[in-house]
Every structure is written in structure tokens, then in C-alpha cells.
Amino acid sequence: LLSCAGMPTHTIDEAAALLARVLGGTEATPHCTAARTSNTAPLPDHLSHLPPRPRLVVYTGAGASASAGVKTFRGQTAGTLLHVREDLADLVFPTFAHRAIHALLERGFVSHVSTSNHDNLHTKAGTDPLHLTEMFGNAYVEKCLKCKRRFHRRSVCPSLARKCERCQGRLVKTGCRYGEEIDSNVWEDGWAHARGSDIALCLGSGLHTSPFTLDGMVGEARHLIVVVNLGPTAAGEGVAECGGREVVVVDDECDRFMRELCKLL
């Protein structure tokens, strides 16, 4: 494996086999030649010193929700991205990748999830809020400016002058658009988990939007960064230094990668 600059893409089999191996997964399945080879070949020195259960933080961008019908273009509100009326937004369901991430959290392979999405699909997949940082908020969650309580709604919160049912304070959405300020507590939580990570798995992100970048949270991973995205990424373009960490880039769909990974864990 090479460093960031000029990073070639890898197949799903190759990347999933390497990640499963460092996570302490089972032996490769018989049908997967790449996995069998990866399980017998020596790991790079710095990966061989990983703890038995390394801390893996998963980062999800818009591409992780693409197969659910959520558009991947930038600068829109979540209600627009979902392309459904607000009262029907709850009919958008999690992808295989969302459900797989939740399952790997439950089994201890994943330590935490940070997402740049507003779409609520991690929560719908069952991910515990304690293991989830929604860096740019959630279109289904609004907070009271007076009592600071948060309310998780069944559909996208409407843009109305709404009042808190507890104290009658003003309610505001937690979802923020590009250029808007991120909640300081959310920011600190995301960075704390990033700094404690051994491995970063980035799904559906080109790694161009701060802080989901190679010189931001993703680059805090101490040993390994795996990037799965359809199309160009900052890792492939070599726009940021990675400090000698191993970087694996897969130009493919998130659901396909997660299916292969789950076979090996």
C-alpha cells in the first residue's frame, strides 16, 4: 500500500480483507481469493502492532445514503434532499450500509460513527445516540433555546415558529447548512472520538468538506484509513498529507463494500 499522493484504487475484496484482518475477523471465506491472500501475507509493520480490537470510527457522507434515494448534491436542506413531503419523510429507510454499521457496533467491531448527513438514517437503523455524532445536525431533531431540551421527531422538522411543549421556549432545527456554525458540543465530541481512533472507515465521502477531511478528523486515525466512494476523493487526488498512515481507496458503492466486509467478520 502507498501513501496518499497518487493513491491507486483497490478492489472491494482487497480492502475488505485487509480491514477484516486488522479488526480480528474470521478467516477469509473460500470464494474470496484476495481475502485468502491477504490473510496469509504479512501486515505492514505499523499495522502488525495494532491492539487486538482496534478503535474503528466510521465516517459517513452523502454517498452512504444514495441507495436510499437521498440525493448527493451539496448545499440543500435535508427536506429537499429527501425529495418527499415532510409528512412522508419517515418512509425513507436505511441502506444496507447503515444497518451493517449498526450490527458491527453491536458486535464491538466499530467504536463510533460520525456523519455529515442530516437524514436520520443511522438512528432509523438502530444506532445508539451515544455512539453517533451528527456533525451537521439532524433534520428530524429540534432543540429548545430556553430549556436546551432536544426533541426527536418522526419526520423532518417544519420551518415554522414552533414552541417547546415543556417550557414554551423557541424551537430551532439542529440541521445546519454549509457555512453555518456547528454546535460546539457536537464539534468537541466528534473530534474526541477522532483523536482516539486507530482506524477510519469513510463511506460515501470525497473527503473535501471540513472536518471530514484527511487533514481533519479522518486524518486523526493512527494506523489505517479506508475510503469507499464512487468517484474522485481527496485521498486519490493527493490533496492532503496523511502522515505515513496506510490509505486504501475503493471506487465503488458503500453497500457492496459493507456486504463483503460483513462476510469476513
Side-chain angles (χ1 to χ4, degrees):
L1 300 177
L2 305 175
S3 60
C4 278
M7 190 69 211
T9 58
H10 292 71
T11 67
I12 285 178
D13 284 354
E14 292 169 339
L18 175 63
L19 184 54
R21 189 176 177 195
V22 299
L23 289 175
T26 60
E27 290 298 315
T29 51
H31 74 278
C32 183
T33 302
R36 289 202 309 273
T37 301
S38 295
N39 269 322
T40 57
L43 287 169
D45 287 343
H46 65 284
L47 291 184
S48 66
H49 298 303
L50 278 165
R53 188 53 66 89
R55 289 187 57 81
L56 167 63
V57 174
V58 177
Y59 299 90
T60 59
S65 299
S67 64
V70 180
K71 296 295 183 179
T72 58
F73 51 86
R74 300 171 60 183
Q76 303 294 320
T77 65
T80 301
L81 292 175
L82 289 168
H83 275 255
V84 293
R85 296 195 343 247
E86 290 177 348
D87 59 334
L88 299 179
D90 204 48
L91 298 179
V92 178
F93 297 104
T95 66
F96 181 88
H98 291 99
R99 297 188 185 280
I101 291 167
H102 169 61
L104 295 183
L105 268 166
E106 292 286 293
R107 294 185 60 184
F109 288 111
V110 172
S111 299
H112 195 75
V113 181
S114 289
T115 183
S116 61
N117 299 332
H118 301 183
D119 54 30
N120 197 47
L121 293 184
H122 283 295
T123 298
K124 291 181 182 180
T127 298
D128 190 320
L130 293 176
H131 298 296
L132 176 64
T133 301
E134 295 169 313
M135 291 298 293
F136 303 140
N138 185 327
Y140 290 70
V141 177
E142 52 190 351
K143 63 182 178 182
C144 176
L145 295 179
K146 183 178 179 181
C147 69
K148 309 303 181 183
R149 287 188 176 91
R150 289 178 175 247
F151 301 91
H152 204 126
R153 308 305 186 184
R154 287 185 55 83
S155 61
V156 174
C157 301
S159 298
L160 300 171
R162 291 161 56 81
K163 291 186 177 181
C164 173
E165 49 259 51
R166 301 288 183 86
C167 71
Q168 297 302 301
R170 180 189 171 197
L171 292 175
V172 295
K173 294 182 178 182
T174 61
C176 61
R177 301 182 185 183
Y178 283 87
E180 294 182 344
E181 185 177 356
I182 299 174
D183 184 292
S184 60
N185 292 326
V186 173
W187 178 270
E188 291 169 6
D189 181 64
W191 274 99
H193 287 287
R195 294 188 181 105
S197 66
D198 296 302
I199 303 170
L201 171 59
C202 310
L203 300 174
S205 173
L207 305 181
H208 295 104
T209 302
S210 179
F212 289 74
T213 59
L214 289 170
D215 56 357
M217 290 169 57
V218 174
E220 292 290 326
R222 288 184 284 267
H223 298 280
L224 175 65
I225 300 171
V226 178
V227 183
V228 182
N229 188 63
L230 275 175
T233 69
E237 296 160 6
V239 299
E241 293 298 324
C242 297
R245 297 165 181 83
E246 296 291 344
V247 180
V248 176
V249 180
V250 179
D251 187 355
D252 214 314
E253 297 174 355
C254 300
D255 288 350
R256 290 189 62 205
F257 175 82
M258 292 304 294
R259 286 183 190 280
E260 186 59 38
L261 178 62
C262 287
K263 291 176 185 177
L264 303 175
L265 293 174

